[in-house]
Amino acid sequence: MTRGCNFSAGPAALPEEVLRQAQSELLEWGSARASVMEISHRSRAFMDLAEESEQDLRDLMSIPDNYRVLFLQGGATQHFAQIPMNLARPDQSADYIVTGAWGEKAVREGSPYVQARIAASSIDSHYTRIPARSAWDLDPDACYLHYTPNETIHGVEFQDVPEVGNVPLIADMSSDILSRPIDVSRFGLIYAGAQKNIGASGLVILIIRDDLLERCPDSMARIFSYAEHAAGRSLFNTPNTYGWYLASLVFKWLKAQGGVVAMGERNKSKAELLYSTIDQSDFYSNPVEASARSWMNVPFFLGRPELDAAFLAEADAAGLIGLKGHRVLGGMRASIYNAISLDQVRTLVDFMRDFASRHG
């Protein structure tokens, strides 16, 4: 068996250099004489790693000083509920922009803790576009506005940051964080599950503006309070130490690649190559409007769905794994996160052209 080109949507591919370093340090990390998984999270060695990894992320994203960076447990789904628990009262309303399955889930999980208003939705197009800004019904008194910049399942991505006035903007960036430069100061809170562009599942990165921490109610259990975790520098309880360690290696790798500017250029090239291959073919199709196509997750469909199983079997034999589409949509999906190289995308499109020539 050889290592395949992994186009899985998440947990997703990690940079091979990171995996090799983690492999070499698995038994003995630095001078600890033990694995990083075996030492106290309050040891000087781990606290040094925590501080350095936070600074690396701040450098990569140019995070302003008035934002806290938290390394938390759970996934985005947990924080769909935890965000309104921290930032809203049950009698307050929050606006949600829904452009896919994860936006829907954010509304559903947040509703017990806030009056969740769907201020705009593209469900009428089966989530193949971004709702026209003129159709957004925004509440200027909303306690926040939540949106999903990139929808992993439907392959829809905002190409800019929406302007929402003084209402704090909250973004679930699980599948596009660190994929290109963003202006963090435009947001009140950014959160992301780690298992796509950061590292291993079970870790969540959360970036929150200082003034929003003041909203966290004292009546809430401390373990759910972002203010408590910020005060404890994410060490209030035992964190996901190995996930944090892997994230620290990915941040170093990203810096070595040239940071998010270089990754943005690479990701744009990867997406353009894959979409042009689909668009130039009579055999493949992608339903998303061109202006809303994701750089990270590319769903596509064969002109003859009865060939789906053969496509996946032949792709697997060719070393291309993780291409099966989500059960909501079917078809195929290629997730081309930061760890996927342009050469790997070239390998994929070469296979797609060959398969089409033999079966089209």
Side-chain angles (χ1 to χ4, degrees):
M1 298 291 290
T2 57
R3 182 171 170 79
C5 295
N6 183 7
F7 296 97
S8 174
L14 283 164
E16 188 169 330
E17 296 95 321
V18 166
L19 291 173
R20 291 191 181 281
Q21 182 174 348
Q23 181 185 47
S24 71
E25 296 177 339
L26 184 61
L27 292 178
E28 295 187 47
W29 174 60
S31 59
R33 295 183 297 172
S35 170
V36 70
M37 288 185 285
E38 299 174 304
I39 65 171
S40 169
H41 61 293
R42 301 194 188 281
S43 66
R44 184 68 260 171
F46 189 84
M47 292 178 72
D48 286 346
L49 176 146
E51 292 172 6
E52 187 171 348
S53 60
E54 177 181 334
Q55 188 58 54
D56 284 341
L57 182 60
R58 286 184 175 276
D59 294 344
L60 285 164
M61 297 183 68
S62 300
I63 299 173
D65 292 340
N66 63 323
Y67 286 75
R68 301 305 99 202
V69 177
L70 307 182
F71 292 75
L72 304 176
Q73 298 180 46
T77 301
Q78 174 179 316
H79 293 271
F80 292 159
Q82 202 165 335
I83 286 168
M85 288 169 63
N86 277 267
L87 303 187
R89 300 187 310 269
D91 63 337
Q92 288 183 302
S93 67
D95 284 348
Y96 285 77
I97 308 300
V98 180
T99 53
W102 291 107
E104 287 183 351
K105 197 168 187 180
V107 172
R108 185 164 62 249
E109 299 300 320
S111 291
Y113 306 99
V114 70
Q115 295 177 23
R117 293 179 65 253
I118 298 178
S121 172
S122 55
I123 191 172
D124 61 327
S125 72
H126 303 288
Y127 298 130
T128 58
R129 59 177 178 82
I130 302 295
R133 181 63 180 81
S134 59
W136 292 19
D137 177 25
L138 299 183
D139 178 2
D141 297 319
C143 56
Y144 60 78
L145 183 145
H146 181 284
Y147 83 121
T148 310
N150 184 76
E151 281 284 354
T152 316
I153 294 174
H154 290 87
V156 172
E157 185 172 19
F158 283 76
Q159 301 303 319
D160 57 8
V161 178
E163 178 56 58
V164 295
N166 295 324
V167 175
L169 183 62
I170 294 180
D172 171 10
M173 291 191 180
S174 294
S175 54
D176 65 345
I177 194 170
L178 296 168
S179 64
R180 67 177 90 180
I182 61 164
D183 181 358
V184 173
S185 69
R186 299 278 301 278
F187 299 86
L189 185 153
I190 293 167
Y191 64 110
Q195 66 273 16
K196 303 174 191 297
N197 266 338
I198 297 172
S201 58
L203 177 73
V204 169
I205 301 296
L206 189 140
I207 303 164
I208 182 169
R209 204 171 60 216
D210 284 343
D211 62 289
L212 295 182
L213 290 171
E214 298 173 5
R215 297 188 183 183
C216 301
D218 294 335
S219 59
M220 182 169 52
R222 296 171 68 198
I223 191 64
F224 298 126
S225 171
Y226 294 149
E228 289 286 350
H229 287 286
R233 300 190 67 84
S234 302
L235 298 172
F236 171 72
N237 67 316
T238 306
N240 178 349
T241 54
Y242 196 69
W244 198 332
Y245 157 77
L246 284 174
S248 76
L249 298 186
V250 171
F251 298 157
K252 295 291 187 189
W253 177 82
L254 282 168
K255 281 189 160 184
Q257 303 304 304
V260 293
V261 172
M263 293 311 302
E265 294 170 353
R266 182 185 305 179
N267 288 329
K268 182 180 180 182
S269 296
K270 286 155 39 181
E272 287 176 346
L273 174 60
L274 184 49
Y275 283 118
S276 65
T277 300
I278 294 168
D279 291 343
Q280 292 167 13
S281 167
D282 294 329
F283 191 79
Y284 303 105
S285 63
N286 170 275
V288 180
E289 288 186 3
S291 62
R293 283 176 165 178
S294 169
W295 287 11
M296 297 285 96
N297 309 101
V298 183
F300 61 95
F301 301 88
L302 278 61
R304 296 168 57 194
E306 67 271 18
L307 292 173
D308 283 3
F311 181 95
L312 290 169
E314 291 189 27
D316 184 79
L320 307 171
I321 63 176
L323 287 167
K324 185 176 181 179
H326 192 274
R327 62 185 181 277
V328 169
L329 294 182
M332 308 299 156
R333 175 176 51 174
S335 294
I336 48 178
Y337 300 122
N338 286 346
I340 296 295
S341 69
L342 182 57
D343 281 343
Q344 288 176 311
V345 177
R346 291 191 181 110
T347 299
L348 171 61
V349 300
D350 286 346
F351 169 80
M352 291 171 62
R353 289 167 179 156
D354 177 68
F355 187 91
S357 70
R358 290 184 289 106
H359 296 280

